[in-house]
Amino acid sequence: MSQSINTKAVTDRRDLTFNSLACVSEDLDRIQAAHDAHTLRTVGNWTPGQNLWHCAEVIRAAIDGFPPGAKPPYLVRKVVQFLFKKKAIRGAPPPPGIRMPKALASFLPPEDVPFDEGMSMIREQIARVRDGGERFTEPSPLFGEFTHEEWDRLQSAHCSMHFSFIKLDG
């Protein structure tokens, strides 16, 4: 997108609440169908491909590990933990429009992520957990330790926030 949108102010988002990666997968089917019907659009700053890519990378990192140096400064971590960790554990989606700390810049999607690449990436990462039996074991650079079940809720809620900007009706 050429002009940045204040995503905190976007009101035309889908109302989504995913409580598992199975729910995320179901919505991926709807997103794919809208893409195939040429009715897919976005109401945020990122394209559908960028949203899918970003969510896939966060899922992958919770399985394989976050990049070295991905840990934000101590004070940032403590503030985020104080304000958001309990909500995250309960599966509350993160608020839109939060600037990502510089240490996590590798999770910002490239500008030119094709839809098919983002879709393939997120389906692959979800399949690793749902079908392949892999577990979320890595600590979050922002929040610290999570159980696999807590990570699942966090990943699902994270996807619900990002997918809310993806409109299916053209």
Side-chain angles (χ1 to χ4, degrees):
M1 295 200 135
S2 59
Q3 187 176 4
S4 183
I5 296 169
N6 176 0
T7 54
K8 292 178 187 177
V10 173
T11 58
D12 190 24
R13 294 169 42 207
R14 292 193 296 152
D15 185 20
L16 298 173
T17 304
F18 303 143
N19 55 21
S20 70
L21 291 178
C23 295
V24 174
S25 291
E26 290 170 5
D27 199 56
L28 289 173
D29 293 340
R30 289 187 286 274
I31 292 170
Q32 182 69 55
H35 173 75
D36 294 346
H38 305 287
T39 60
L40 195 65
R41 65 184 174 93
T42 188
V43 293
N45 289 314
W46 290 353
T47 66
Q50 287 175 302
N51 278 290
L52 298 171
W53 183 97
H54 168 74
C55 290
E57 278 298 294
V58 176
I59 293 170
R60 184 203 53 73
I63 300 168
D64 296 335
F66 289 82
K71 201 173 239 183
Y74 176 81
L75 185 58
V76 171
R77 290 193 320 266
K78 289 303 170 190
V79 167
V80 168
Q81 289 170 14
F82 177 75
L83 293 176
F84 300 113
K85 187 168 184 174
K86 286 182 183 177
K87 292 177 185 177
I89 288 172
R90 289 191 307 266
I98 291 181
R99 288 192 173 272
M100 198 172 307
K102 288 181 185 178
L104 299 175
S106 64
F107 293 94
L108 291 172
E111 287 188 25
D112 58 349
V113 178
F115 173 83
D116 292 334
E117 180 182 334
M119 181 60 79
S120 175
M121 286 176 63
I122 193 162
R123 286 193 187 273
E124 178 183 329
Q125 297 310 313
I126 290 173
R128 290 177 66 189
V129 177
R130 291 191 64 218
D131 304 329
E134 293 191 57
R135 308 270 301 163
F136 296 120
T137 59
E138 296 297 321
S140 163
L142 277 172
F143 294 114
E145 298 290 331
F146 282 120
T147 67
H148 174 79
E149 292 73 20
E150 290 168 344
W151 258 127
D152 187 275
R153 284 192 298 274
L154 177 73
Q155 297 289 358
S156 301
H158 181 242
C159 287
S160 69
M161 187 275 288
H162 281 285
F163 291 12
S164 73
F165 289 98
I166 301 173
K167 300 290 282 191
L168 310 179
D169 57 5

